[in-house]
Amino acid sequence: MSANPRLASNILVTAAAAVIVIAGLKSAAAMLVPFLLAIFIAVLSAPLMHWLTRHRVPDVIAVLLLVVGFLLIGTMLASFVGSTLNAFYKDMPFYEQKLQTLITTGVTWLRGMGVEVADNIIREYVNPGVVMRTVAKVFNGLGGVLTNTFLILFTVVFILLEASGFPNKVKKAFGEETQAFDHFERFSQSVQQYLMIKTLVSLGTGVAVSLLLVIIGVDYWALWGVVAFLLNYIPNIGSIIAAVPAVLIALIQLGPAAAALTAAVYVGVNTLFGNVVEPRLMGRSLGLSTLVVFLSLVFWGWILGPVGMLLSIPLTMVVKIALETRPQSRWIATLLDH
């Protein structure tokens, strides 16, 4: 009889602790987002750092080379995205007006076919600017984070410099026979493998989408390629969100046939990279259920904002991989799987 009250008490304490932790994460989002991005960049750059050190490049020089590379890539990407977004903002009212005209034409056609559609329903539920503004909001969130570029780079530098001496610190702290480092090493290797493969697949997705859209002739094809690259970190849902603005632009600019072809491009590219290339590179399933993907998107987006939406799946995958490394918590990881 005494076990039940103890179990209920443990559940309540755990739930209260979770609420406190979530509230703390949300209140510290402005500080956490640059730090999480720094960890994300450091994990991706760790293999290159190890390759340089294996070729007798000193740690400090290897880190400096990586930082210079980050600055060059970041400057080029920021200038491109900034100029493209400025042009897109200027053209957005024009696209919204033309899309509204298309919707009005469609409603008139439906009424001519005998289907009655209320004007207030159209105005309330069909807002052509929502998707455009959502994409702009994501990029604005990224732009706000990039104002902390130097903080992010300094954090990456210190993480990479500390990484080489971390195993010795663990053994010194917990003893030579401890398994803590073995667990951490398996965890870090799994996370690194997942992020590297996901980044390569996302890059391939973005390049393929850009090339095919420029062949079709869709405006801002490079911007939609960047959107496809970023949102590919969100399985299933991300590819749909990335496709909507490009399909709308194709519909407004080139007509229904081009819009259908653009939608087919996204379906084909995401099917190829998501269902063929990525599983082959992963070697084993690291997927999440569709429900978990959606809930993690909402959860991390609510806590960390637009950047949290982009990092939602990597963050959830980190939690899942951590749970898989211990037999006591592996059942939770199984529930998160697809």
Side-chain angles (χ1 to χ4, degrees):
M1 295 294 292
S2 60
N4 290 333
R6 188 179 297 115
L7 177 61
S9 175
N10 290 338
I11 292 174
L12 287 175
V13 170
T14 303
V19 170
I20 294 172
V21 170
I22 292 171
L25 290 174
K26 185 169 176 59
S27 62
M31 181 185 68
L32 277 177
V33 168
F35 183 67
L36 289 173
L37 282 175
I39 295 176
F40 181 79
I41 295 171
V43 169
L44 289 178
S45 57
L48 185 56
M49 173 79 176
H50 294 156
W51 183 84
L52 290 172
T53 54
R54 282 200 306 268
H55 287 76
R56 301 181 184 279
V57 178
D59 290 350
V60 176
I61 296 178
V63 171
L64 288 176
L65 290 174
L66 290 175
V67 169
V68 170
F70 294 149
L71 285 174
L72 290 176
I73 295 173
T75 301
M76 290 188 295
L77 183 61
S79 61
F80 162 73
V81 171
S83 61
T84 307
L85 274 181
N86 287 334
F88 180 61
Y89 286 147
K90 292 179 181 178
D91 290 341
M92 190 183 292
F94 167 74
Y95 287 128
E96 289 183 15
Q97 183 180 5
K98 288 199 69 174
L99 186 56
Q100 191 64 55
T101 302
L102 287 174
I103 292 173
T104 303
T105 303
V107 170
T108 304
W109 180 81
L110 287 174
R111 287 174 178 171
M113 298 294 292
V115 179
E116 188 62 33
V117 182
D119 290 334
N120 61 334
I121 294 178
I122 295 296
R123 285 193 298 269
E124 185 175 353
Y125 294 103
V126 182
N127 188 344
V130 168
V131 176
M132 307 291 189
R133 295 191 187 98
T134 301
V135 173
K137 183 179 178 182
V138 171
F139 276 104
N140 284 337
L142 287 173
V145 172
L146 291 177
T147 58
N148 296 317
T149 301
F150 287 103
L151 173 62
I152 294 172
L153 284 178
F154 276 121
T155 307
V156 170
V157 168
F158 289 125
I159 290 174
L160 291 176
L161 289 175
E162 286 287 325
S164 59
F166 186 73
N168 293 330
K169 290 183 179 179
V170 172
K171 290 179 180 178
K172 187 175 180 180
F174 297 99
E176 291 290 334
E177 303 299 323
T178 182
Q179 294 184 345
F181 178 70
D182 294 333
H183 289 305
F184 177 80
E185 190 173 24
R186 285 200 302 271
F187 164 71
S188 60
Q189 286 177 353
S190 298
V191 171
Q192 191 177 88
Q193 179 193 27
Y194 170 76
L195 291 180
M196 284 295 296
I197 292 174
K198 195 66 181 178
T199 300
L200 290 175
V201 171
S202 299
L203 183 61
T205 301
V207 171
V209 165
S210 296
L211 292 177
L212 292 172
L213 290 185
V214 74
I215 293 173
I216 297 173
V218 180
D219 285 346
Y220 301 108
W221 52 270
L223 178 62
W224 309 134
V226 174
V227 172
F229 163 71
L230 293 174
L231 295 186
N232 194 64
Y233 285 98
I234 306 172
N236 306 323
I237 301 171
S239 60
I240 297 173
I241 299 173
V244 171
V247 172
L248 287 177
I249 294 297
L251 176 64
I252 296 167
Q253 178 195 354
L254 303 171
L261 185 57
T262 301
V265 163
Y266 276 90
V267 171
V269 169
N270 284 286
T271 300
L272 174 64
F273 283 93
N275 297 333
V276 178
V277 176
E278 186 173 327
R280 284 176 177 260
L281 292 177
M282 288 290 186
R284 65 188 184 94
S285 174
L286 285 176
L288 299 168
S289 71
T290 305
L291 176 62
V292 173
V293 168
F294 177 74
L295 293 178
S296 64
L297 180 68
V298 174
F299 177 76
W300 291 111
W302 172 65
I303 290 180
L304 302 177
V307 179
M309 296 173 67
L310 295 179
L311 295 178
S312 61
I313 302 307
L315 289 172
T316 307
M317 284 303 307
V318 167
V319 175
K320 180 174 181 286
I321 293 169
L323 293 171
E324 286 178 341
T325 58
R326 298 184 65 84
Q328 298 90 334
S329 58
R330 197 166 294 157
W331 64 274
I332 304 177
T334 303
L335 293 177
L336 298 176
D337 211 341
H338 61 72

